[in-house]
Amino acid sequence: FKNLSTVAIGGIMYYLLGYAFAYGTDNSDNNSSRFIGSGNFALSDATNLDRHSWFFQFAFAATGATIVSGAVAGRVDLIGYFLIAAFMTSFV
């Protein structure tokens, strides 16, 4: 249950925010920070190549979250872990 929920939450959060933060459009045009992407949220401007890349990178983000799941097994409340997984797959 926990791993399936992790992948589901991870997929939604990586779709909405994570991919755009990691691979979104560059901020150099408006003199903003280049640290984080600022466009292509929810794959809004995505091509087929971007969608393939999203799925490949999502697998790594979800795997990272399931590794954390094993590390905190029995130490964290389920809702707390789901919040950690959502944060991890969207921002980390």
Side-chain angles (χ1 to χ4, degrees), residues 17-83:
L17 299 172
Y19 189 78
F21 287 155
Y23 300 103
T25 56
D26 196 7
N27 291 327
S28 61
D29 297 340
N30 58 8
N31 294 328
S32 284
S33 172
R34 292 184 182 185
F35 176 70
I36 197 166
S38 66
N40 203 11
F41 291 99
L43 298 177
S44 59
D45 300 326
T47 63
N48 277 340
L49 184 61
D50 291 334
R51 289 183 182 95
H52 293 291
S53 176
W54 174 87
F55 188 78
F56 183 74
Q57 297 301 330
F58 152 71
F60 287 104
T63 300
T66 56
I67 290 171
V68 170
S69 168
V72 299
R75 297 180 182 95
V76 178
D77 186 43
L78 187 64
I79 300 300
Y81 167 71
F82 286 157
L83 292 173

Side-chain angles (χ1 to χ4, degrees), residues 9-22 36 41 61-62 65 82-92:
I9 291 169
I12 292 168
M13 296 306 293
Y14 196 71
Y15 173 75
L16 293 175
L17 299 172
Y19 189 78
F21 287 155
I36 197 166
F41 291 99
F82 286 157
L83 292 173
I84 292 169
F87 174 76
M88 186 174 173
T89 54
S90 60
F91 295 109
V92 178

